[in-house]
Amino acid sequence: MVKAKVLIRPKQGILDPQGKAVERALPALGFDGISNVRVGRLVELETDDPSALDSLCEKLLANPLIEDFEVELEEEALS
Amino acid sequence: MVKAKVLIRPKQGILDPQGKAVERALPALGFDGISNVRVGRLVELETDDPSALDSLCEKLLANPLIEDFEVELEEEALS
Protein backbone atom coordinates (compact mmCIF):
# COMPACT_ATOMS: atom_id res chain seq x y z
CA MET A 1 0.00 0.00 0.00
CA VAL A 2 1.45 3.33 -1.06
CA LYS A 3 0.08 6.66 0.08
CA ALA A 4 -0.24 9.18 -2.71
CA LYS A 5 -1.07 12.84 -2.83
CA VAL A 6 -2.47 14.32 -6.02
CA LEU A 7 -2.30 18.09 -6.47
CA ILE A 8 -4.68 19.47 -9.07
CA ARG A 9 -4.47 23.11 -10.07
CA PRO A 10 -6.01 25.29 -12.77
CA LYS A 11 -3.69 25.56 -15.77
CA GLN A 12 -1.64 28.69 -16.24
CA GLY A 13 -3.76 31.18 -18.16
CA ILE A 14 -7.07 29.53 -17.31
CA LEU A 15 -9.44 31.80 -15.41
CA ASP A 16 -9.86 30.75 -11.77
CA PRO A 17 -13.05 32.34 -10.40
CA GLN A 18 -12.63 30.75 -6.96
CA GLY A 19 -9.15 32.24 -6.63
CA LYS A 20 -10.42 35.65 -7.76
CA ALA A 21 -13.22 35.48 -5.19
CA VAL A 22 -10.69 34.78 -2.43
CA GLU A 23 -8.50 37.67 -3.59
CA ARG A 24 -11.44 40.02 -3.58
CA ALA A 25 -12.48 38.97 -0.06
CA LEU A 26 -9.05 39.55 1.44
CA PRO A 27 -8.98 43.35 1.95
CA ALA A 28 -12.31 43.31 3.80
CA LEU A 29 -10.83 40.79 6.24
CA GLY A 30 -7.75 42.92 6.78
CA PHE A 31 -5.27 40.91 4.72
CA ASP A 32 -3.07 42.89 2.37
CA GLY A 33 -0.21 42.00 0.09
CA ILE A 34 -1.61 38.70 -1.11
CA SER A 35 -1.82 38.03 -4.83
CA ASN A 36 -1.99 35.31 -7.47
CA VAL A 37 -4.41 33.15 -5.49
CA ARG A 38 -5.21 29.91 -7.32
CA VAL A 39 -7.59 27.36 -5.86
CA GLY A 40 -7.22 23.72 -6.81
CA ARG A 41 -7.88 20.32 -5.31
CA LEU A 42 -5.94 17.95 -3.14
CA VAL A 43 -6.72 14.24 -3.34
CA GLU A 44 -5.09 11.81 -0.94
CA LEU A 45 -5.43 8.06 -1.37
CA GLU A 46 -3.82 4.70 -0.81
CA THR A 47 -3.10 2.44 -3.73
CA ASP A 48 -1.56 -0.93 -4.55
CA ASP A 49 -0.52 0.16 -8.02
CA PRO A 50 0.98 3.67 -8.18
CA SER A 51 1.63 3.30 -11.93
CA ALA A 52 -2.11 3.58 -12.57
CA LEU A 53 -2.36 6.96 -10.90
CA ASP A 54 -1.60 9.11 -13.93
CA SER A 55 -4.35 7.42 -15.88
CA LEU A 56 -6.70 7.73 -12.90
CA CYS A 57 -6.05 11.46 -12.67
CA GLU A 58 -6.73 11.97 -16.36
CA LYS A 59 -9.94 9.95 -16.33
CA LEU A 60 -11.52 10.80 -13.00
CA LEU A 61 -9.79 13.30 -10.76
CA ALA A 62 -8.71 16.12 -13.03
CA ASN A 63 -10.02 17.74 -16.18
CA PRO A 64 -6.90 17.73 -18.37
CA LEU A 65 -8.32 20.47 -20.60
CA ILE A 66 -8.18 23.07 -17.85
CA GLU A 67 -6.22 21.49 -15.01
CA ASP A 68 -2.68 20.30 -14.39
CA PHE A 69 -1.99 17.54 -11.92
CA GLU A 70 1.02 16.34 -10.01
CA VAL A 71 1.31 13.01 -8.19
CA GLU A 72 3.48 12.76 -5.08
CA LEU A 73 4.11 9.31 -3.64
CA GLU A 74 4.83 8.79 0.02
CA GLU A 75 6.17 5.26 0.22
CA GLU A 76 4.77 3.69 3.34
CA ALA A 77 5.54 0.01 3.41
CA LEU A 78 2.53 -1.44 5.18
CA SER A 79 2.34 -4.20 2.57
CA MET B 1 7.10 37.98 -2.09
CA VAL B 2 6.86 34.43 -0.80
CA LYS B 3 5.01 31.66 -2.60
CA ALA B 4 2.86 29.57 -0.30
CA LYS B 5 0.90 26.40 -0.77
CA VAL B 6 -2.00 25.68 1.58
CA LEU B 7 -3.24 22.11 1.82
CA ILE B 8 -6.74 21.74 3.25
CA ARG B 9 -8.11 18.30 4.02
CA PRO B 10 -11.18 16.92 5.82
CA LYS B 11 -10.36 16.12 9.45
CA GLN B 12 -9.78 12.52 10.44
CA GLY B 13 -13.16 11.00 11.25
CA ILE B 14 -15.17 13.58 9.36
CA LEU B 15 -17.26 12.11 6.56
CA ASP B 16 -15.93 13.00 3.12
CA PRO B 17 -18.71 12.47 0.57
CA GLN B 18 -16.54 13.60 -2.37
CA GLY B 19 -13.91 11.03 -1.48
CA LYS B 20 -16.54 8.31 -1.12
CA ALA B 21 -17.97 9.21 -4.52
CA VAL B 22 -14.53 8.86 -6.10
CA GLU B 23 -14.00 5.50 -4.40
CA ARG B 24 -17.32 4.25 -5.66
CA ALA B 25 -16.58 5.35 -9.23
CA LEU B 26 -13.22 3.56 -9.37
CA PRO B 27 -14.23 -0.07 -10.07
CA ALA B 28 -16.43 0.97 -13.02
CA LEU B 29 -13.41 2.67 -14.57
CA GLY B 30 -11.23 -0.37 -14.05
CA PHE B 31 -9.17 0.83 -11.11
CA ASP B 32 -8.80 -1.59 -8.23
CA GLY B 33 -6.85 -1.54 -5.00
CA ILE B 34 -7.43 2.10 -4.20
CA SER B 35 -8.77 3.06 -0.79
CA ASN B 36 -9.00 5.85 1.74
CA VAL B 37 -9.66 8.54 -0.83
CA ARG B 38 -9.96 11.97 0.74
CA VAL B 39 -10.65 15.07 -1.31
CA GLY B 40 -9.49 18.43 -0.05
CA ARG B 41 -8.40 21.76 -1.47
CA LEU B 42 -5.12 23.22 -2.60
CA VAL B 43 -4.65 26.98 -2.46
CA GLU B 44 -1.55 28.58 -3.92
CA LEU B 45 -0.79 32.24 -3.40
CA GLU B 46 1.93 34.85 -3.08
CA THR B 47 2.22 36.94 0.03
CA ASP B 48 4.36 39.66 1.59
CA ASP B 49 3.61 38.50 5.12
CA PRO B 50 3.71 34.71 5.60
CA SER B 51 3.01 35.08 9.32
CA ALA B 52 -0.58 36.09 8.52
CA LEU B 53 -1.28 32.89 6.63
CA ASP B 54 -2.45 30.81 9.59
CA SER B 55 -5.00 33.41 10.50
CA LEU B 56 -6.05 33.72 6.84
CA CYS B 57 -6.63 29.98 6.62
CA GLU B 58 -8.74 29.95 9.75
CA LYS B 59 -10.86 32.90 8.67
CA LEU B 60 -11.27 32.43 4.94
CA LEU B 61 -9.77 29.36 3.34
CA ALA B 62 -10.60 26.48 5.66
CA ASN B 63 -13.44 25.60 7.99
CA PRO B 64 -11.53 24.72 11.18
CA LEU B 65 -14.50 22.75 12.54
CA ILE B 66 -14.21 20.09 9.88
CA GLU B 67 -10.93 20.74 8.07
CA ASP B 68 -7.24 20.65 8.88
CA PHE B 69 -4.82 22.86 7.03
CA GLU B 70 -1.11 22.88 6.45
CA VAL B 71 0.92 25.80 5.09
CA GLU B 72 4.05 25.13 3.03
CA LEU B 73 6.25 28.08 2.17
CA GLU B 74 8.41 28.07 -0.93
CA GLU B 75 10.81 30.94 -0.38
CA GLU B 76 11.29 32.67 -3.69
CA ALA B 77 13.17 35.88 -3.23
CA LEU B 78 11.67 38.10 -5.89
CA SER B 79 11.41 40.98 -3.34
Side-chain angles (χ1 to χ4, degrees):
Chain A
M1 227 42 170
V2 177
K3 271 195 181 182
K5 197 189 274 184
V6 180
L7 305 177
I8 300 163
R9 38 173 85 82
K11 277 194 171 156
Q12 204 69 28
I14 294 279
L15 197 66
D16 174 20
Q18 242 188 310
K20 288 286 167 235
V22 170
E23 266 178 51
R24 231 168 283 144
L26 290 169
L29 287 166
F31 296 100
D32 294 308
I34 294 179
S35 58
N36 286 328
V37 182
R38 308 282 284 173
V39 179
R41 287 194 308 289
L42 163 73
V43 182
E44 289 177 316
L45 49 82
E46 290 176 18
T47 177
D48 290 333
D49 176 14
S51 63
L53 283 180
D54 274 0
S55 151
L56 170 66
C57 289
E58 275 167 28
K59 286 189 191 158
L60 183 65
L61 301 180
N63 177 348
L65 280 178
I66 57 168
E67 291 169 328
D68 283 324
F69 62 85
E70 186 185 327
V71 177
E72 290 177 8
L73 296 179
E74 308 166 24
E75 308 282 339
E76 250 176 60
L78 287 164
S79 74
Chain B
M1 225 44 168
V2 177
K3 270 197 181 182
K5 196 188 274 184
V6 181
L7 306 177
I8 301 164
R9 39 173 84 82
K11 277 194 172 157
Q12 202 69 28
I14 294 280
L15 197 67
D16 174 22
Q18 241 188 311
K20 287 287 166 234
V22 170
E23 266 178 51
R24 232 169 283 145
L26 290 169
L29 288 167
F31 296 100
D32 293 309
I34 294 179
S35 59
N36 286 328
V37 182
R38 308 282 283 171
V39 179
R41 287 195 306 288
L42 163 72
V43 183
E44 289 179 316
L45 49 80
E46 290 176 18
T47 177
D48 291 332
D49 177 14
S51 63
L53 283 180
D54 273 0
S55 153
L56 170 67
C57 289
E58 275 167 27
K59 286 188 193 160
L60 182 65
L61 301 180
N63 177 348
L65 280 178
I66 57 168
E67 292 169 329
D68 283 325
F69 61 85
E70 187 185 326
V71 178
E72 289 176 10
L73 295 180
E74 306 166 26
E75 307 283 338
E76 252 176 61
L78 287 164
S79 72

